[in-house]
């Protein structure tokens, strides 16, 4: 039975003044959606192309079109791992295949993956990088959330961290430097994180330039993000990182992400499940990994002014399992 394949690029407006990290500010999330239809069943997946890895909605869409015929002829998830490299394009197709399989089988994706029933999880809520004064205000507005993720930018991060901690005294803090630290600010910013009781620091140094992490003693968990893409990278990170941030858009889908999570546990890493800035459809497959993650950062829909229907339900920072009508 032939499948039909639809590829669509979409834009979703980000709430407020947009979303800012060390590499710049955005006002819209740009995503690629894949819909597979077979025998009356319909499966869908979403990816978020990331310029840091040379991706765009155009390049990702073209990658999918290049294997569209194979998908139509019945390519499965195992074959997909061989047919496409890890990245956003493979993620959209892989997640659509999971959803299609769940719909055809009449059972949830969690059951197909051999997982127990899904339960709510607490996600981080992200504060964009800005001046210490503006970040203080954002922290005060979000102070009742239990877990805050603080975007940083390098120089001046010690003041940003202090401002957030002062205005959100009870929240657990994790910080994300997005590769922005260097030798000029590393020790100052690490000390600020220690003073503020930060629980985890994501990717303080650029990928490929992080040897310093193997030489320092620290009281804060350091997590690989840009330094990690697939399970093949994990063993080589043990000397520098205490935790790893698994993102489906880097891994190339839920299939590889499940393998990564299992191997990361075997290697005694703490596990974070993260996301690019996408809709509830992008978060839904990651919810399976979130069930056993030490840190969950799947707040993409909370940062958008518009989302899909039906959206994932959030009670504050408590994230519920996706409706099967959305995914899985």
């Amino acid at each position: 039975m032939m499948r039909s394949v639809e590829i669509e690029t979409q834009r979703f407006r980000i709430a407020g003044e947009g979303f800012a990290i060390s590499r710049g500010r955005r006002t819209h999330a740009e995503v690629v959606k894949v819909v597979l239809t077979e025998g009356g069943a319909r499966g869908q997946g979403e990816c978020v192309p990331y310029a840091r890895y040379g991706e765009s909605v155009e390049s990702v869409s073209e990658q999918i079109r290049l294997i569209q015929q194979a998908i139509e002829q019945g390519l499965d998830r195992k074959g997909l791992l061989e047919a496409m490299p890890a990245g956003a394009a493979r993620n959209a197709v892989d997640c659509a295949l999971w959803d299609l399989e769940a719909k055809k089988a009449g059972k949830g994706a969690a059951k197909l993956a051999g997982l127990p029933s899904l339960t709510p999880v607490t996600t981080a809520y992200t504060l964009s990088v800005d001046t210490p004064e503006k970040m203080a205000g954002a922290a005060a507005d979000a102070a009742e959330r239990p877990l805050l993720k603080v975007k940083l930018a390098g120089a001046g991060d010690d003041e940003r961290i202090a401002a957030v901690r002062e205005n959100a005294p009870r929240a657990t803090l994790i910080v994300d430097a997005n590769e922005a630290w260097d030798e000029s600010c590393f020790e100052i910013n690490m000390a600020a994180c220690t003073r503020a009781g930060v629980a985890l620091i994501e990717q303080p140094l650029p990928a490929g330039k992080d040897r310093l992490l193997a030489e320092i003693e620290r009281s804060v968990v350091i997590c690989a993000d840009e330094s990690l893409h697939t399970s093949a990278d994990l063993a080589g990170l043990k000397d520098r990182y205490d935790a790893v941030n698994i993102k489906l858009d880097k891994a190339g889908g839920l299939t590889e992400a499940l393998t990564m999570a299992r191997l990361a546990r075997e290697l005694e890493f703490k596990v974070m499940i993260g996301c690019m800035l996408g809709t509830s459809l992008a978060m839904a497959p990651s919810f399976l990994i979130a069930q056993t993650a030490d840190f969950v950062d799947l707040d993409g829909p909370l940062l958008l002014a518009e989302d899909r229907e039906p959206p994932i339900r959030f009670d504050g920072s408590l994230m519920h399992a996706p409706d099967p009508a959305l995914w899985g």
Side-chain angles (χ1 to χ4, degrees), residues 78-115:
K78 182 179 179 181
L80 182 67
L81 291 175
E82 301 172 355
M84 296 187 80
R90 195 176 78 187
N91 178 35
V93 178
D94 181 73
C95 291
L97 285 169
W98 273 98
D99 192 29
L100 180 65
E101 187 176 342
K103 299 299 193 296
K104 289 173 64 179
K107 59 179 68 174
K111 182 171 287 189
L112 291 177
L115 301 176

Side-chain angles (χ1 to χ4, degrees), residues 2-315:
M2 290 286 288
R3 293 190 192 124
S4 67
V5 180
E6 300 172 44
I7 308 165
E8 184 178 358
T9 62
Q10 299 174 322
R11 300 177 85 230
F12 292 83
R13 185 165 52 86
I14 299 171
E17 298 178 358
F19 182 74
I21 67 171
S22 61
R23 300 187 187 100
R25 182 179 295 274
R26 289 184 291 158
T27 59
H28 289 78
E30 296 191 340
V31 308
V32 176
K33 178 182 174 183
V34 171
V35 179
L36 308 179
T37 305
E38 180 181 336
R42 181 178 182 272
Q44 59 181 358
E46 175 186 309
C47 71
V48 185
Y50 197 39
R52 166 68 176 78
Y53 305 128
E55 296 174 335
S56 66
V57 293
E58 294 81 13
S59 70
V60 164
S61 298
E62 180 59 22
Q63 275 187 278
I64 299 169
R65 280 192 287 268
L66 288 173
I67 67 156
Q68 181 169 342
Q69 185 176 11
I71 300 170
E72 291 171 342
Q73 293 175 348
L75 184 70
D76 61 12
R77 290 185 285 108
K78 182 179 179 181
L80 182 67
L81 291 175
E82 301 172 355
M84 296 187 80
R90 195 176 78 187
N91 178 35
V93 178
D94 181 73
C95 291
L97 285 169
W98 273 98
D99 192 29
L100 180 65
E101 187 176 342
K103 299 299 193 296
K104 289 173 64 179
K107 59 179 68 174
K111 182 171 287 189
L112 291 177
L115 301 176
S117 297
L118 301 176
T119 59
V121 298
T122 297
T123 181
Y125 180 80
T126 304
L127 305 181
S128 289
V129 66
D130 212 316
T131 64
E133 294 76 20
K134 288 188 176 181
M135 293 185 75
D141 291 341
E144 297 308 310
R145 293 185 181 271
L147 180 62
L148 295 179
K149 177 173 174 174
V150 184
K151 289 290 189 178
L152 298 174
D157 282 347
D158 55 329
E159 297 178 15
R160 294 182 179 95
I161 294 163
V164 170
R165 171 51 79 205
E166 181 179 355
N167 287 275
R170 292 185 298 276
T172 297
L173 299 185
I174 57 180
V175 305
D176 186 3
N178 284 117
E179 306 179 282
W181 293 3
D182 58 26
E183 292 183 1
S184 71
C185 63
F186 183 86
E187 290 187 6
I188 293 171
N189 292 340
M190 282 292 293
C193 287
T194 300
R195 287 194 299 273
V198 167
L200 176 144
I201 303 169
E202 277 187 73
Q203 198 71 43
L205 299 172
K209 299 180 180 180
D210 53 4
R211 296 305 311 173
L212 175 63
L213 300 178
E215 303 167 7
I216 63 164
E217 294 184 6
R218 66 276 194 138
S219 59
V220 183
V221 171
I222 297 185
C223 179
D225 183 356
E226 285 86 351
S227 291
L228 171 72
H229 289 259
T230 69
S231 53
D233 301 323
L234 284 166
L237 300 175
K238 277 297 294 179
D239 64 335
R240 286 160 286 161
Y241 294 96
D242 314 299
V244 291
N245 188 351
I246 298 171
K247 293 179 179 176
L248 270 61
D249 278 311
K250 293 186 301 176
L254 177 61
T255 302
E256 171 64 10
L258 288 166
T259 299
M260 291 177 70
R262 183 176 65 252
L263 182 56
R265 291 290 187 200
E266 292 174 2
L267 292 170
E268 299 183 339
F269 284 110
K270 289 185 178 297
V271 172
M272 181 177 187
I273 179 68
C275 65
M276 306 303 186
L277 186 49
T279 75
S280 285
L281 178 57
M283 305 303 121
S286 296
F287 195 84
L288 276 63
I289 308 290
Q291 297 297 292
T292 56
D294 299 285
F295 297 91
V296 176
D297 177 27
L298 298 177
D299 65 340
L302 294 176
L303 306 175
L304 298 178
E306 50 193 355
D307 197 3
R308 299 193 184 276
E309 289 293 339
I312 289 177
R313 181 164 67 91
F314 291 84
D315 292 326

